[in-house]
Coordinates of all heavy atoms in Angstrom, one line a residue:
R17 N 33.0 -9.3 41.5 CA 34.1 -9.9 42.3 C 33.5 -10.0 43.6 O 32.6 -9.0 44.1 CB 35.4 -9.1 42.3 CG 35.2 -7.7 42.8 CD 36.5 -6.9 42.6 NE 36.5 -5.5 42.9 CZ 37.2 -4.6 42.6 NH1 38.4 -4.8 41.7 NH2 37.0 -3.3 43.0
P18 N 33.8 -10.9 44.4 CA 33.3 -11.0 45.9 C 33.6 -9.8 46.7 O 34.7 -9.1 46.4 CB 33.9 -12.3 46.5 CG 34.3 -13.0 45.2 CD 34.7 -12.0 44.2
H19 N 32.9 -9.4 47.7 CA 33.4 -8.4 48.6 C 33.2 -8.9 50.0 O 32.3 -9.7 50.5 CB 32.3 -7.1 48.5 CG 32.9 -5.9 49.1 ND1 32.7 -5.6 50.4 CD2 33.5 -5.0 48.4 CE1 33.3 -4.4 50.6 NE2 33.8 -3.9 49.4
A20 N 34.2 -8.3 50.9 CA 34.5 -8.8 52.2 C 33.3 -8.5 53.2 O 33.1 -9.2 54.3 CB 35.7 -8.4 52.8
L21 N 32.5 -7.6 52.9 CA 31.4 -7.1 53.8 C 30.4 -8.1 54.1 O 29.7 -8.1 55.1 CB 30.9 -5.8 53.3 CG 31.6 -4.5 53.8 CD1 30.9 -3.3 53.3 CD2 31.7 -4.5 55.3
S22 N 30.1 -9.0 53.0 CA 29.1 -10.0 53.2 C 29.4 -11.2 52.3 O 29.9 -11.0 51.2 CB 27.7 -9.4 52.9 OG 26.7 -10.5 52.8
P23 N 29.1 -12.4 52.7 CA 29.4 -13.6 51.8 C 28.4 -13.6 50.6 O 28.7 -14.3 49.6 CB 29.0 -14.7 52.8 CG 28.2 -14.2 53.9 CD 28.7 -12.8 54.0
T24 N 27.4 -12.8 50.7 CA 26.4 -12.8 49.5 C 26.7 -11.6 48.5 O 26.0 -11.4 47.6 CB 24.9 -12.6 50.0 OG1 24.8 -11.6 50.8 CG2 24.5 -14.0 50.8
A25 N 27.7 -10.7 48.7 CA 27.9 -9.5 48.1 C 28.9 -9.7 46.9 O 29.9 -10.3 47.0 CB 28.5 -8.5 49.0
L26 N 28.4 -9.3 45.8 CA 29.2 -9.2 44.5 C 29.3 -7.7 44.2 O 28.3 -7.0 44.0 CB 28.7 -10.0 43.4 CG 28.5 -11.5 43.6 CD1 27.9 -12.1 42.4 CD2 29.9 -12.2 43.7
E27 N 30.5 -7.2 44.0 CA 30.8 -5.8 43.4 C 30.8 -5.9 41.9 O 31.7 -6.7 41.4 CB 32.0 -5.2 44.1 CG 32.2 -3.8 43.6 CD 33.5 -3.2 44.2 OE1 34.2 -3.8 45.1 OE2 33.8 -2.0 43.8
V28 N 30.1 -5.1 41.3 CA 30.1 -5.1 39.8 C 31.3 -4.2 39.4 O 31.4 -3.1 39.8 CB 28.8 -4.5 39.2 CG1 28.9 -4.4 37.7 CG2 27.6 -5.3 39.7
V29 N 32.2 -4.8 38.6 CA 33.5 -4.1 38.2 C 33.3 -3.7 36.7 O 34.1 -2.8 36.2 CB 34.7 -4.8 38.5 CG1 34.9 -5.0 40.0 CG2 34.6 -6.3 37.8
A30 N 32.3 -4.4 36.0 CA 32.1 -3.9 34.5 C 30.8 -4.4 34.2 O 30.2 -5.5 34.5 CB 33.2 -4.6 33.7
G31 N 30.1 -3.6 33.2 CA 28.7 -3.9 32.7 C 27.6 -3.7 33.7 O 26.5 -4.3 33.6
A32 N 27.7 -2.7 34.7 CA 26.6 -2.4 35.6 C 25.4 -2.1 34.9 O 24.3 -2.4 35.4 CB 27.0 -1.3 36.5
R33 N 25.4 -1.4 33.7 CA 24.2 -1.0 33.2 C 23.4 -2.3 32.5 O 22.3 -2.1 32.0 CB 24.3 0.1 32.0 CG 25.0 1.3 32.6 CD 25.1 2.4 31.6 NE 26.0 3.6 32.1 CZ 25.5 4.5 32.9 NH1 24.4 4.5 33.4 NH2 26.4 5.5 33.3
R34 N 24.1 -3.4 32.5 CA 23.4 -4.7 31.9 C 22.6 -5.5 33.0 O 22.0 -6.4 32.7 CB 24.5 -5.4 31.2 CG 25.2 -4.7 30.0 CD 26.2 -5.6 29.4 NE 26.9 -5.0 28.3 CZ 28.0 -5.4 27.7 NH1 28.4 -6.7 28.1 NH2 28.6 -4.8 26.8
V35 N 22.8 -5.1 34.3 CA 22.3 -5.9 35.3 C 20.8 -6.1 35.2 O 20.3 -7.3 35.2 CB 22.6 -5.4 36.7 CG1 21.9 -6.1 37.7 CG2 24.1 -5.5 37.0
H36 N 20.2 -5.0 35.0 CA 18.7 -5.1 34.9 C 18.3 -5.9 33.7 O 16.9 -6.5 33.6 CB 18.0 -3.7 34.9 CG 17.8 -3.2 36.2 ND1 18.7 -2.2 36.6 CD2 17.0 -3.3 37.3 CE1 18.4 -1.8 37.9 NE2 17.4 -2.5 38.3
L37 N 19.0 -6.0 32.6 CA 18.6 -6.8 31.5 C 19.0 -8.2 31.4 O 18.8 -9.0 30.7 CB 19.4 -6.0 30.2 CG 19.1 -4.6 30.0 CD1 19.9 -4.1 28.9 CD2 17.6 -4.3 29.7
S38 N 19.8 -8.6 32.4 CA 20.3 -10.0 32.6 C 19.2 -10.9 33.1 O 18.3 -10.7 33.8 CB 21.5 -10.1 33.6 OG 21.0 -9.9 35.0
R39 N 19.5 -12.3 32.5 CA 18.5 -13.3 33.0 C 18.7 -13.6 34.5 O 17.7 -13.9 35.2 CB 18.8 -14.6 32.2 CG 18.3 -14.4 30.8 CD 18.3 -15.7 29.9 NE 17.7 -16.8 30.5 CZ 16.3 -17.1 30.4 NH1 15.7 -16.3 29.6 NH2 15.8 -18.1 30.9
A40 N 20.0 -13.5 35.0 CA 20.1 -13.7 36.4 C 19.3 -12.8 37.3 O 18.8 -13.1 38.3 CB 21.7 -13.5 36.7
F41 N 19.2 -11.5 36.8 CA 18.4 -10.6 37.6 C 16.9 -11.0 37.4 O 16.1 -11.0 38.3 CB 18.5 -9.1 37.1 CG 17.7 -8.2 37.8 CD1 18.1 -7.6 39.0 CD2 16.6 -7.6 37.2 CE1 17.3 -6.7 39.7 CE2 15.8 -6.7 37.8 CZ 16.2 -6.1 39.0
A42 N 16.4 -11.2 36.2 CA 15.0 -11.6 35.9 C 14.6 -12.8 36.6 O 13.4 -13.0 37.0 CB 14.8 -11.6 34.4
E43 N 15.5 -13.7 36.9 CA 15.2 -15.0 37.5 C 15.3 -15.1 39.0 O 15.2 -16.0 39.7 CB 15.9 -16.1 36.9 CG 15.6 -16.3 35.4 CD 16.6 -17.4 34.8 OE1 17.4 -17.9 35.6 OE2 16.5 -17.5 33.6
G44 N 15.7 -13.8 39.6 CA 15.8 -13.6 41.0 C 17.0 -14.1 41.7 O 17.2 -14.2 42.9
L45 N 18.1 -14.4 40.8 CA 19.4 -14.9 41.5 C 20.1 -13.8 42.1 O 20.9 -14.0 43.0 CB 20.2 -15.4 40.3 CG 19.7 -16.7 39.6 CD1 20.6 -17.1 38.4 CD2 19.9 -17.8 40.6

């Protein structure tokens, strides 16, 4: 979900341990 501290910030509310395995992370998004 978005976070008010920065327009680029997303707070992970579920699946945090999957971030490093995601294509979004591998592709630099």
Side-chain angles (χ1 to χ4, degrees):
R17 62 188 176 200
H19 197 277
L21 275 175
S22 174
T24 58
L26 295 176
E27 181 179 359
V28 179
V29 295
R33 299 188 193 279
R34 299 179 183 175
V35 169
H36 280 105
L37 303 176
S38 70
R39 289 185 60 82
F41 180 81
E43 294 173 6
L45 290 171

